Every structure is written in C-alpha cells, then in structure tokens.
C-alpha cells in the first residue's frame, strides 16, 4: 500500500498477476461487508519519490477507477495483455472511453475465472 486518499487506497505490485490478485481479493472481501468498490489498474513505469509514486501509469490507473462500475476491476491494455494467459483470471474487453488528460483508452474488465 502506498497511501490512502479519503476512501481511496493506492497500491503497487511487483507484477501484473499480483496486482490482479490483490484487486480481485479486495472486490470479493469488500462486497461481503459494505458497498462495492471500484478498482483501476495500469501496468507500466512509475517514478518513486519519498514514499509515493508518480507518472502516466498512476494517472491512468486513477482514470480507470473512474470508469469502473461498482464491484469491478478495470485494467489498461498493457496489464490485460500481460494477464491473457494467467490462470484463474478472465480478461474482457469493454468499449473504449475517454480518459481526462490521456485521450481515448481501451479498458478491460478483470474477473476470476468462472465468476460472472
């Protein structure tokens, strides 16, 4: 976990599979106890400075969170590509959307395999 901002939690992971697992676990756990969470994931370089991280990847993750519907995990195309053969994760393409400051992005919804 990098930080919290109000009711938001910002985390990084060493690899796409770990990021997806964390996100899907969070959705499942929070669904049991309260309102659904929205998660946006982006894969790429970040600039670590004084315990925080910055860069286009961070901005993209934030924009994807805004696109996500309650109870869903939305990922960018790079993360989706990295997960295409990952066991236990389904990657579904959804329609392109504008992302403030980043142009049009191609989001993907992540789900646990077999959960619809």
């Amino acid at each position: 976990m990098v930080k919290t901002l109000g009711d938001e939690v910002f985390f990084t992971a060493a690899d796409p599979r770990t990021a997806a697992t964390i996100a899907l676990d969070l959705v499942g756990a929070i669904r049991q106890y309260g309102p659904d969470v929205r998660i946006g994931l982006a894969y790429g370089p970040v600039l670590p400075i004084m315990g925080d991280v910055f860069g286009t990847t961070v901005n993209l993750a934030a924009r994807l969170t805004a696109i996500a519907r309650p109870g869903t995990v939305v990922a960018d195309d790079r993360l989706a590509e990295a997960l295409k053969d990952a066991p236990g994760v389904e990657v579904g393409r959804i329609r392109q959307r504008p992302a403030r400051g980043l142009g049009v992005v191609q989001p993907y919804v992540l789900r646990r395999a077999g959960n619809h």
Side-chain angles (χ1 to χ4, degrees), residues 68-90:
R69 293 160 95 176
T72 63
V73 177
V74 176
D76 74 329
D77 54 351
R78 290 186 65 197
L79 193 116
E81 176 66 23
L83 293 171
K84 71 179 181 182
D85 296 320
V89 178
E90 291 180 358

Side-chain angles (χ1 to χ4, degrees), residues 3-96:
K3 64 182 174 182
T4 59
L5 297 166
D7 64 352
E8 297 180 5
V9 175
F10 181 66
F11 70 90
T12 61
D15 60 82
R17 178 78 177 121
T18 300
T21 299
I22 291 168
L24 293 168
D25 286 350
L26 280 170
V27 167
I30 291 172
R31 182 175 288 140
Q32 295 177 31
Y33 300 106
D36 284 334
V37 61
R38 303 166 194 247
I39 298 177
L41 298 175
Y43 180 46
V46 296
L47 179 62
I49 299 175
M50 297 176 58
D52 205 347
V53 291
F54 300 89
T56 303
T57 303
V58 175
N59 295 337
L60 179 54
R63 301 304 181 265
L64 291 170
T65 300
I67 289 170
R69 293 160 95 176
T72 63
V73 177
V74 176
D76 74 329
D77 54 351
R78 290 186 65 197
L79 193 116
E81 176 66 23
L83 293 171
K84 71 179 181 182
D85 296 320
V89 178
E90 291 180 358
V91 177
R93 185 179 176 148
I94 57 177
R95 71 178 172 83
Q96 291 182 339

Side-chain angles (χ1 to χ4, degrees), residues 90 111-116:
E90 291 180 358
R111 294 184 183 91
R112 292 218 186 274
N115 290 351
H116 296 282

